[in-house]
Amino acid sequence: ANDATTEVEIYDNAGAATGIVITVYSSESDIALTTKRKALDRRIAKMQRRGSKSTLKAEELEAEAMELRVACTKAWRDLSYNGEVLDCTDENKRMIYSRVSRIRDQVDEAIADVSLFTKS
């Protein structure tokens, strides 16, 4: 189903469970596809405005990846940063994913693995 989610248990660098659980949508979910289309629409509009002088920068690709990650994150449990328990808001998602690469990488891997969202 396009609205299926999976829970991602986050592990530390040594491979031990942290207790953090993040619920995500698939990269093929409706929310992900809508987010990807919006990014593509922005690229097309930029190209139309600038013509042949239009370039795509690494920062733009990173921003698009962040927006997809944020859109695909439905919820989390037991996530704290600097001793503060964080609500699962878009602002907090961006902050955590930009500052904690081990969480970002595990979430990206789960979002991309569509087999995690298939019910058997």
Side-chain angles (χ1 to χ4, degrees):
N2 279 344
D3 61 349
T5 59
T6 194
E7 290 190 340
V8 182
E9 186 170 5
I10 301 299
Y11 295 90
D12 66 16
N13 292 334
T18 63
I20 299 168
V21 177
I22 301 178
T23 305
V24 297
Y25 294 101
S26 161
S27 62
E28 298 301 316
S29 66
D30 289 340
I31 195 163
L33 295 176
T34 298
T35 302
K36 291 176 190 179
R37 283 187 194 108
K38 286 179 183 176
L40 186 55
D41 286 344
R42 282 190 298 273
R43 283 191 205 179
I44 291 169
K46 179 181 174 185
M47 288 172 55
Q48 289 172 337
R49 284 191 310 274
R50 296 188 181 172
S52 63
K53 296 183 182 204
S54 180
T55 59
L56 187 60
K57 297 183 177 164
E59 296 87 23
E60 292 170 308
L61 290 175
E62 290 168 359
E64 288 177 9
M66 179 63 78
E67 289 313 303
L68 181 63
R69 196 177 294 121
V70 167
C72 287
T73 301
K74 181 178 181 182
W76 60 44
R77 291 192 311 270
D78 301 323
L79 199 154
S80 60
Y81 186 76
N82 288 338
E84 179 185 351
V85 176
L86 298 178
D87 291 331
C88 189
T89 65
D90 287 355
E91 181 181 342
N92 285 340
K93 293 173 195 178
R94 285 185 191 89
M95 187 272 296
I96 285 296
Y97 293 144
S98 65
R99 295 183 184 176
V100 188
S101 61
R102 67 180 159 73
I103 294 177
R104 178 185 63 238
D105 294 345
Q106 291 173 65
V107 165
D108 283 350
E109 185 177 312
I111 289 168
D113 186 353
V114 293
S115 70
L116 296 175
F117 302 88
T118 307
K119 306 285 185 209
S120 35

